[in-house]
Amino acid sequence: MDDPPDWIAEFTVTPKEFAAHLDALEDSGRTPVTISTLAGHLTGRAPLPPRPVLLTFDDGFADLPGPTADLLARRSLPATAYLTTGAITPGGRSLLPPAPMMTLDRVTELERSGMEIGSHTVSHAQLDTLTGKRLRAELFDSKAVLEDALGHPVAHLAYPHGYNSPRVRAMASRAGYETATAVRHALSSERDERYRIARLIVRRSHTVADVRAWLAGDGARVAPYRDGPKTIAWRWYRHTRAAVRGPEFAG
């Protein structure tokens, strides 16, 4: 987007910058894959192609079907879109602040363009702070909505803002997800955890040089690794706040 809402601007790039990032990807010699291809490797079913890279898009903003998907399709670049069903379903409710969103009836269009569809929960809550009942609803209900719309199973999940825990990961497995992506702002690896796959966040401040470095395997730590003290302290702070205020937006 050229003029995104303030709350999401940090995680937004302009169309011109996005095209430059895709140019860097094509120049890198990497092989774009979907999450299902990565899942095949992590479960031992099939090897990855040489130098794989996975593009993911979260939430389901209005530019995803159409401008974004079309640009990827013109370059024959597959990708994975994780959709927040409460934000894209008519009458649905989510914790996402106001923004132009796509609608559920366009998910088949996304799939036809070459994007694999995954769940990004119902409301975009901080999953690791929820009660068991609320957590189950977030994971099971979003999966069911997308499967009804697409007519086939949806096997992949992305945790909103990456927030997860052993309890959340176990529930994701029980819900029938084959993988779940976190954030961690790190490069994934062949040893990565299937229910906590690392991703890199592209922020507005990142340059094309940053993207080229990541594509070369530089400029970021490599997962898996243990959570640091700051991450653990932030987690406890969020848990305490959620106990007082109730479910909160993961952002």
Side-chain angles (χ1 to χ4, degrees):
M1 301 180 187
D2 280 310
D3 188 23
D6 289 343
W7 69 270
I8 197 65
E10 180 183 1
F11 305 107
T12 309
V13 298
T14 66
K16 182 178 179 180
E17 290 168 327
F18 182 54
H21 292 172
L22 296 184
D23 287 341
L25 188 152
E26 292 187 310
D27 292 343
S28 72
R30 291 210 169 255
T31 304
V33 299
T34 62
I35 188 64
S36 283
T37 303
L38 179 57
H41 165 73
L42 294 176
T43 56
R45 294 195 306 267
L48 284 168
R51 295 175 54 78
V53 61
L54 173 60
L55 300 177
T56 66
F57 299 85
D58 288 1
D59 301 332
F61 293 101
D63 64 291
L64 189 57
T68 302
D70 289 350
L71 187 56
L72 292 168
R74 286 199 296 271
R75 296 170 181 250
S76 299
L77 298 176
T80 300
Y82 294 106
L83 305 179
T84 306
T85 57
I88 67 172
T89 303
R93 294 179 4 178
S94 80
L95 297 171
L96 285 169
M101 305 299 294
M102 63 174 280
T103 52
L104 183 64
D105 59 0
R106 302 193 72 182
V107 294
T108 54
E109 176 186 338
L110 276 182
E111 197 169 64
R112 286 195 301 270
S113 73
M115 281 198 179
E116 184 170 23
I117 306 300
S119 165
H120 201 40
T121 75
V122 176
S123 72
H124 208 281
Q126 298 180 19
L127 295 181
D128 59 338
T129 68
L130 300 180
T131 65
K133 181 179 180 180
R134 180 70 183 268
L135 173 61
R136 181 182 177 86
E138 289 283 347
L139 300 185
F140 280 77
D141 292 357
S142 58
K143 189 175 191 293
V145 166
L146 292 171
E147 289 177 344
D148 285 347
L150 292 167
H152 61 71
V154 170
H156 307 289
L157 169 72
Y159 307 119
H161 216 68
Y163 294 144
N164 68 95
S165 66
R167 180 176 67 99
V168 173
R169 297 193 289 273
M171 183 67 80
S173 177
R174 287 199 294 274
Y177 293 104
E178 190 176 30
T179 69
T181 53
V183 176
R184 317 208 82 189
H185 197 64
L187 293 160
S188 187
S189 75
E190 292 190 355
R191 299 181 298 106
D192 210 352
E193 302 165 80
R194 184 153 57 103
Y195 288 97
R196 191 163 62 157
I197 297 168
R199 295 190 291 172
L200 290 156
I201 302 176
V202 180
R203 299 176 185 266
R204 177 157 287 219
S205 58
H206 286 130
T207 65
V208 175
D210 292 323
V211 174
R212 290 188 185 279
W214 295 339
L215 289 164
D218 299 323
R221 68 191 307 181
V222 178
Y225 55 84
R226 291 185 177 182
D227 292 337
K230 288 183 178 179
T231 298
I232 294 170
W234 176 239
R235 181 181 302 135
W236 280 108
Y237 169 74
R238 292 189 296 100
H239 280 231
T240 302
R241 189 174 61 186
V244 175
R245 299 181 181 181
E248 293 189 304
F249 166 59

